[in-house]
Amino acid sequence: MSKLPMDVITDILYRLPVKALVRFKSLSKPCCSLIDHPDFIRAHLNRSIQTKSNLNIILKGLHLYSVEFDALGTTVPLEFPLSNAAAGTEAFGSCNGLLALRITEKNLVLCNPSTRQFRRLPVSEIDPPPGESCKSGYVFYGFGHDVKTNDYKVVRMAQFNKDDDEDDEGCFYDYEVKVYSLKNDCWRKITKLPRYLRFMFQFFYHLLHRRGYGVLACGVLHWVMPPRIEFGMRNWIVGFDLGTEEFVEVPLPECADRNYLLDVGVLEGCLCAICNYDQVSVDVWVMKEYGTKESWTKLLSVQKTRTINPLTFLRPLAYSKNRDNVLLEINNQKFAWYDLQKKKMRSVKIGDSPSTFGAEVYVGSLIRIEDWKKMEIEKQREQDTLRKKNRKKRDDFLSQGFKLVL
């Protein structure tokens, strides 16, 4: 190994899966230092994303399962240190190999299944509006990466109901919105909230198909505010920018029919709008340039079939490696490849999958989620040590030079 040039060793390691790299860290201190270096971690992740390697599909049922994207064979239970903590653990987001998990409302966890690292989030109580007789109701979650600050953030939006009315949907109360920062390990309350948030929650829409979990695209988390005929409100995509920590409105595509049910998804970082027409047909649109209405492009259309009837839910998950097929999740019960050229679907059989599930793509990575403040201190110490070594080399060189002159 020592006879190989370092750049060759590095290139070999870039191509290995995360679990192999974790094992190789025990080979030697130089190998461990290389694999743990932030530049290597970032480059390994970027290569995995670009080459569609180390990809997995998470199946979210009563428990969490994983299946390799390349094989789509048989599922295995998703193991992490808290995997046996409780049945019903929900994965509400995936980003750069990290999963955001909800065990209970007060027990939220960030986890890297590949390295088995995890971090419990500090508890932050949900506080009803002051002076109001109400209680917390439905809670929206989202998870993503703020590229500007290289920080991972969890967003929690809590809706409130009247104490004496179980059926009230909280139209008259502001939401409580808080953002957790992994770097700072604390929650921050967002006070500037748009009024339309009061109308966001609809019981059957958001409880079905896990629609309360934000979809991450271009550094923005997205939720759908479904139509409210009584208020003259149509489908709406609500975005939360993780960089500015502000809400944004996202333009919709020009769908063929105004009477449709809207969902959102993501394909290779691009936001998708999924328009469902009376559970008979579904159009999937892709926003090629984020925030630009004219960049919406229809990717595919699916009709109900003899085996898929009704077509209640559809979401695109990923392109195939040659980008001529798209993997679809259908009705929380099955997968299918959609051929973009032939415009046909073929079913995908995955062994040992739960009877109903939600699906999410995640990429295996070495991203660390230990105490970021401690990591910054260690990084500063390494830089100080390196500066001292360089200073000593310079002083030694200068001192040798003076001796030669004398």
Side-chain angles (χ1 to χ4, degrees):
M1 189 83 168
S2 60
K3 295 180 180 179
L4 288 173
M6 185 53 67
D7 57 342
V8 175
I9 295 173
T10 304
D11 188 62
I12 292 172
L13 294 177
Y14 281 154
R15 301 168 187 271
L16 296 179
V18 176
K19 290 183 179 179
L21 292 172
V22 171
R23 291 197 302 270
F24 286 173
K25 286 169 62 175
S26 61
L27 288 177
S28 65
K29 284 186 178 180
C31 194
C32 182
S33 298
L34 172 63
I35 294 172
D36 277 343
H37 197 280
D39 290 342
F40 179 88
I41 293 173
R42 185 165 49 250
H44 183 269
L45 172 63
N46 290 338
R47 186 184 185 281
S48 296
I49 294 173
Q50 290 169 6
T51 61
K52 293 187 177 68
S53 54
N54 298 312
L55 287 186
N56 301 268
I57 306 290
I58 297 175
L59 277 65
K60 302 178 285 187
L62 183 61
H63 299 277
L64 300 178
Y65 302 87
S66 176
V67 61
E68 292 184 6
F69 178 74
D70 286 341
L72 292 179
T74 301
T75 65
V76 294
L78 190 63
E79 296 181 357
F80 51 94
L82 298 174
S83 58
N84 295 323
T89 297
E90 283 280 357
F92 62 83
S94 167
C95 180
N96 293 344
L98 302 184
L99 296 182
L101 307 175
R102 174 195 169 278
I103 299 173
T104 67
E105 297 293 357
K106 294 185 178 181
N107 193 358
L108 305 179
V109 174
L110 295 183
C111 170
N112 185 329
S114 301
T115 62
R116 296 180 60 79
Q117 293 178 353
F118 73 96
R119 186 183 184 109
R120 290 181 186 270
L121 276 58
V123 175
S124 180
E125 300 290 343
I126 296 175
D127 301 316
E132 300 285 358
S133 178
C134 59
K135 59 185 178 182
S136 64
Y138 189 79
V139 181
F140 296 82
Y141 290 100
F143 171 64
H145 183 224
D146 176 7
V147 179
K148 294 178 182 177
T149 59
N150 191 28
D151 193 7
Y152 290 89
K153 297 180 178 181
V154 172
V155 177
R156 186 187 72 188
M157 299 192 299
Q159 172 246 2
F160 296 101
N161 294 326
K162 293 179 182 178
D163 279 334
D164 56 353
D165 189 352
E166 293 291 333
D167 297 325
D168 180 64
E169 291 192 346
C171 294
F172 306 103
Y173 299 114
D174 282 328
Y175 278 44
E176 182 199 64
V177 180
K178 288 185 178 180
V179 178
Y180 168 81
S181 162
L182 179 60
K183 266 192 174 180
N184 300 320
D185 192 30
C186 65
W187 292 87
R188 189 174 84 85
K189 188 172 183 178
I190 305 300
T191 56
K192 186 180 178 182
L193 303 179
R195 286 187 61 84
Y196 58 73
L197 280 189
R198 299 182 176 202
F199 306 98
M200 187 164 166
F201 176 69
Q202 283 195 27
F203 184 84
F204 289 107
Y205 177 85
H206 284 109
L207 261 63
L208 289 173
H209 310 299
R210 296 174 171 84
R211 290 186 173 110
Y213 299 153
V215 171
L216 179 68
C218 301
V220 180
L221 287 166
H222 303 84
W223 295 267
V224 170
M225 187 165 69
R228 283 187 176 271
I229 306 302
E230 65 274 24
F231 298 120
M233 300 172 67
R234 297 191 178 276
N235 288 291
W236 206 333
I237 298 178
V238 176
F240 184 83
D241 191 311
L242 293 173
T244 62
E245 296 190 352
E246 294 180 346
F247 284 92
V248 295
E249 296 176 23
V250 182
L252 294 174
E254 294 292 343
C255 296
D257 186 343
R258 288 181 175 270
N259 297 317
Y260 62 89
L261 192 64
L262 181 67
D263 276 301
V264 285
V266 63
L267 270 177
E268 291 191 352
C270 292
L271 182 66
C272 296
I274 301 105
C275 305
N276 190 314
Y277 303 100
D278 296 323
Q279 302 183 6
V280 173
S281 64
V282 173
D283 291 339
V284 176
W285 295 72
V286 177
M287 182 178 266
K288 298 293 184 68
E289 183 180 342
Y290 188 78
T292 304
K293 182 180 178 66
E294 292 74 22
S295 72
W296 280 113
T297 304
K298 187 188 291 188
L299 179 68
L300 58 90
S301 295
V302 175
Q303 305 289 325
K304 72 175 183 179
T305 65
R306 182 176 54 83
T307 57
I308 306 174
N309 187 12
L311 184 55
T312 58
F313 180 80
L314 181 146
R315 178 174 290 171
L317 295 174
Y319 288 106
S320 60
K321 286 197 173 184
N322 53 13
R323 293 180 61 88
D324 59 356
N325 285 265
V326 177
L327 185 65
L328 304 176
E329 172 198 352
I330 301 174
N331 291 352
N332 294 138
Q333 293 178 330
K334 59 181 68 179
F335 293 105
W337 281 113
Y338 182 90
D339 190 311
L340 294 172
Q341 296 295 325
K342 298 178 180 178
K343 300 185 179 352
K344 291 183 179 181
M345 286 193 301
R346 58 181 175 87
S347 181
V348 177
K349 301 289 185 182
I350 293 181
D352 295 337
S353 62
S355 57
T356 61
F357 53 81
E360 182 135 11
V361 177
Y362 88 97
V363 58
S365 82
L366 292 160
I367 296 292
R368 299 166 65 181
I369 49 176
E370 297 104 330
D371 190 329
W372 280 51
K373 292 179 181 178
K374 182 180 177 182
M375 290 168 61
E376 289 292 335
I377 293 172
E378 289 177 354
K379 184 178 179 181
Q380 187 62 45
R381 284 176 180 169
E382 289 177 4
Q383 291 174 347
D384 292 342
T385 302
L386 183 62
R387 276 195 291 267
K388 287 178 182 178
K389 285 182 178 179
N390 290 336
R391 192 180 300 119
K392 186 176 184 304
K393 286 181 181 179
R394 182 196 64 193
D395 293 344
D396 289 345
F397 174 77
L398 292 174
S399 122
Q400 290 293 330
F402 282 124
K403 285 179 182 178
L404 289 171
V405 171
L406 293 172

